[in-house]
Amino acid sequence: MRRLALPLALMLLLGGTVSPAQADKVTRTAECQGDWLPGTPTAADVMKGEISLVGLPAYKLGKKINWDASPYRNRSWEFVFQSLRWMGTLVVEYENTGEQRYLDRATEITKDWVANNRYGAGGTKSYVWKDHPVSLRTQPLLCLSRHVNESWLKDSLAAHAKLLSNPKLYKKGHNHGIDQDIALMGIGCRYNREDWSDLASRRLTGTVKLDVDSQGALMEQAPRYAVYVYGRLQVAMTNMKACDRKVPGDIGKRAEALKDFIAHSTMPNGYMVPIGDGSADTEPKMETGTPEQEVKTYRAGYVFGRTSWDEPESAYYSIRYGPGTKFHGHEDHLGVTYYADGRDILVDGGFHSYEKSSYRYWTLSPEAHNVPTVEGARFRPRTSSSLVKTDYDKDRQAFKLTDKAYGVSRTRSVLVNHGEDLMAVLDTASGGKKIKNVWRFHPSLKVESKSDGKVVLADGKFKVTLVQLSSCDRVSGQKVERGGKLGWASPTYLSKQQAAVVVSPAARSLLTVIVPGTDSPKVSCSGGKVTVEGVSFPADLF
């Protein structure tokens, strides 16, 4: 079985020691036990009045909590703060140790939150009752309800259920919708409300069929969310069974199919390919098995390929096409990424954050991805693209894609050769239009030389070469940005690093060849055939 590296969400590290007899005085409940808690803060942190959320520095919570706090002006921090999952660590610690002080503080925090954050009240921030904080907050509230039987808590859960069951607020076909269904099912089961449980079950089936297609591809356009969705579906199915409800077949089938998609979208180094809103440091921890195919084309708009499985030195590539941008997608159609010789070579601009900043919006744009642009034409957002031709065997694959994102046909053909690793990409546009492209290299790679249509980049002894041709003639005049307007990448959350970006000149056609592991590849072109280091292929790549 193939096992992918580190966890997407770390389990809570529980501290302190007590006697088994003391801990056994408290019943451990299904609502409190499990993997729904974040890695930080710990129960000890919360008891000290200090919480660290979404990787940002610790915030001094204090005894009397300011529920309007937003110390970093970060939307993710605000949502996690209002989810109260950090409060839930105290209830779990109470169950595991039997120490009353944890439950007392959890009750104090929650009662204060309820009093200061009533739905619709003038002083309540609007984001407090957004769909995702409501969904995620339900779990710690249900956990607390197993040990605190007071009307204010039951009334708050009823208010949550009312919002969760409101069709106008339901996020159908999205991971938020799955979380809403899990939360509503939990409240319905806890208080024997069949109407809430029935609604959650019906909605979940429809949402899963929209969010995960029959091939197992996640439709949210960021592969890393497939791990989250898979985990949440396991929770949903477990909760349904615990509530003596039958799990619909479509949910189980599509959850199982997600495992192949996760495996294909994970690079040989164990990290998921950072497409869309996905960080380059995402390492899923789950059993996926080893898919039968090295190359997989998904109708949802992905091509994933590799030389072989379970070999860190295997080459790997991704290609994007398909439906127009939505949810967590970027304007990356016809874009490629490339991994070879055990390292990232071509990368996307990455995912920085969900903050409404000019840099965030730039990371969504075509300029942040390895795509062709049509000179003098205006880009049309959310344009779909098509995979129109494929030709592949074990040692070589070729794909042809096209769209009208610039009003005219923009066509890209991609060839990947294995063994003697290389990637070749041919870009053209209809109507006699000229085309340009950009190539973003991993931040560790820096330009070493540039001349006669050849750009060499290096990281120590490792070299990679880019060569560009047009109708067999070398194309010179490439510009390189590191920093400036284009030369950036965000491999991890809230990070921003300079990266070398090669910008081509405009031409009627552009054939770009990426050759890893060398600074002097032998490249020739004649008679409709290109030869690179002894590897020959048609100039049109098919």
Side-chain angles (χ1 to χ4, degrees):
M1 294 292 286
R2 175 178 171 79
R3 185 172 181 81
L4 302 180
L6 298 177
L8 184 68
L10 299 175
M11 291 289 286
L12 174 69
L13 300 175
L14 298 173
T17 58
V18 296
S19 69
Q22 183 183 8
D24 287 344
K25 292 178 182 177
V26 178
T27 300
R28 290 178 174 83
T29 65
E31 286 87 350
C32 293
Q33 301 298 318
D35 62 356
W36 57 275
L37 291 171
T40 61
T42 66
D45 293 333
V46 179
M47 291 298 285
K48 288 189 302 182
E50 188 173 280
I51 59 172
S52 178
L53 307 175
V54 299
L56 291 167
Y59 167 68
K60 297 291 185 180
L61 195 65
K63 180 70 174 176
K64 178 62 177 176
I65 298 172
N66 173 16
W67 293 109
D68 293 334
S70 180
Y72 306 106
R73 297 294 184 265
N74 180 286
R75 292 198 303 160
S76 297
W77 191 97
E78 293 168 354
F79 279 23
V80 175
F81 179 54
Q82 295 293 341
S83 78
L84 295 185
R85 288 190 296 174
W86 50 273
M87 175 279 295
T89 65
L90 300 179
V91 191
V92 175
E93 190 78 341
Y94 167 67
E95 286 196 350
N96 289 331
T97 68
E99 294 190 40
Q100 185 67 32
R101 63 192 180 99
Y102 292 113
L103 183 62
D104 290 345
R105 180 57 176 156
T107 304
E108 182 181 31
I109 289 171
T110 308
K111 191 171 185 178
D112 188 57
W113 182 90
V114 169
N116 286 278
N117 292 279
R118 297 191 183 280
Y119 179 69
T124 301
K125 298 288 187 183
S126 60
Y127 59 75
V128 172
W129 290 94
K130 291 286 187 182
D131 63 285
H132 217 204
V134 169
S135 302
L136 298 179
R137 190 164 56 239
T138 297
Q139 183 73 50
L141 294 182
L142 283 171
C143 172
L144 183 65
S145 78
R146 282 299 183 180
H147 304 284
V148 174
N149 185 23
E150 295 187 20
S151 60
W152 60 265
L153 181 54
K154 186 175 181 179
D155 289 347
S156 182
L157 279 164
H160 281 70
K162 184 177 180 180
L163 286 177
L164 290 165
S165 59
N166 186 339
K168 294 181 179 179
L169 303 178
Y170 183 60
K171 304 295 185 182
K172 190 174 182 179
H174 191 278
N175 70 80
H176 287 198
I178 295 172
D179 282 329
Q180 286 173 295
D181 293 331
I182 290 171
L184 187 59
M185 174 72 70
I187 302 174
C189 191
R190 175 75 177 89
Y191 294 106
N192 298 314
R193 286 290 301 265
E194 290 290 326
D195 54 337
W196 290 341
S197 297
D198 287 344
L199 176 59
S201 181
R202 288 196 308 271
R203 292 192 316 191
L204 182 62
T205 301
T207 275
V208 170
K209 291 175 73 172
L210 288 174
D211 203 28
V212 183
D213 74 5
S214 59
Q215 285 185 296
L218 186 74
M219 302 300 288
E220 297 187 35
Q221 300 185 347
R224 75 154 171 131
Y225 274 92
V227 180
Y228 181 77
V229 168
Y230 177 83
R232 298 308 286 163
L233 291 181
Q234 303 311 303
V235 170
M237 291 187 287
T238 297
N239 290 356
M240 292 173 106
K241 293 173 184 176
C243 202
D244 295 324
R245 305 185 71 86
K246 184 179 179 181
V247 177
D250 278 329
I251 295 177
K253 288 177 183 177
R254 300 208 179 201
E256 187 67 18
L258 265 174
K259 294 196 294 187
D260 256 21
F261 179 75
I262 292 167
H264 279 292
S265 58
T266 300
M267 300 185 294
N269 60 5
Y271 294 92
M272 297 194 77
V273 60
I275 296 174
D277 288 339
S279 297
D281 61 348
T282 299
E283 299 179 88
K285 185 182 181 181
M286 56 181 287
E287 295 288 350
T288 64
T290 300
E292 295 181 2
Q293 304 165 294
E294 282 78 25
V295 181
K296 182 75 172 182
T297 300
Y298 286 97
R299 293 186 297 272
Y302 301 93
V303 178
F304 299 121
R306 68 187 72 224
T307 307
S308 60
W309 291 97
D310 297 314
E311 291 186 13
E313 299 299 313
S314 167
Y316 177 91
Y317 60 92
S318 72
I319 309 173
R320 279 284 288 128
Y321 69 102
T325 304
K326 66 175 184 176
F327 295 149
H328 295 291
H330 293 186
E331 294 289 0
D332 56 4
H333 282 198
L334 279 61
V336 301
T337 68
Y338 189 40
Y339 175 101
D341 289 356
R343 60 190 303 147
D344 282 302
I345 295 176
L346 295 177
V347 300
D348 274 350
F351 166 64
H352 180 262
S353 70
Y354 292 117
E355 301 311 299
K356 296 180 179 180
S357 66
S358 59
Y359 183 73
R360 156 67 174 168
Y361 295 126
W362 176 82
T363 64
L364 303 177
S365 72
E367 288 76 14
H369 304 87
N370 302 310
V371 299
T373 59
V374 179
E375 188 178 46
R378 186 175 181 179
F379 178 69
R380 300 177 177 183
R382 298 183 179 86
T383 301
S384 64
S385 56
S386 302
L387 177 63
V388 295
K389 190 174 183 180
T390 63
D391 180 14
Y392 54 85
D393 56 31
K394 183 174 178 58
D395 297 321
R396 179 181 294 177
Q397 297 93 47
F399 308 88
K400 188 174 185 179
L401 311 100
T402 189
D403 66 19
K404 290 189 175 181
Y406 288 88
V408 298
S409 292
R410 172 180 71 153
T411 301
R412 166 166 280 189
S413 297
V414 181
L415 179 145
V416 182
N417 194 80
H418 301 283
E420 295 292 334
D421 289 330
L422 65 86
M423 173 181 277
V425 180
L426 177 65
D427 292 322
T428 59
S430 64
K433 294 285 188 178
K434 290 186 177 181
I435 203 155
K436 299 172 66 174
N437 49 38
V438 296
W439 302 98
R440 178 168 285 94
F441 289 85
H442 188 271
S444 66
L445 292 164
K446 298 180 180 180
V447 173
E448 190 174 75
S449 65
K450 178 173 69 74
S451 65
D452 191 28
K454 182 177 81 170
V455 182
V456 176
L457 301 98
D459 177 11
K461 293 182 179 180
F462 179 79
K463 315 284 185 181
V464 59
T465 300
L466 174 149
V467 176
Q468 292 195 305
L469 308 170
S470 182
S471 299
C472 279
D473 295 325
R474 288 286 183 101
V475 177
S476 299
Q478 288 79 10
K479 296 180 180 179
V480 178
E481 288 193 34
R482 190 175 182 90
K485 181 180 178 181
L486 296 175
W488 300 98
S490 290
T492 58
Y493 183 65
L494 292 178
S495 72
K496 182 179 179 182
Q497 299 180 16
Q498 291 188 344
V501 175
V502 178
V503 183
S504 78
R508 299 292 183 193
S509 70
L510 279 170
L511 175 62
T512 305
V513 183
I514 308 292
V515 190
T518 180
D519 60 355
S520 56
K522 296 178 180 178
V523 180
S524 62
C525 179
S526 64
K529 180 181 289 187
V530 180
T531 301
V532 181
E533 292 290 280
V535 176
S536 295
F537 51 87
D540 67 357
L541 307 189
F542 283 91

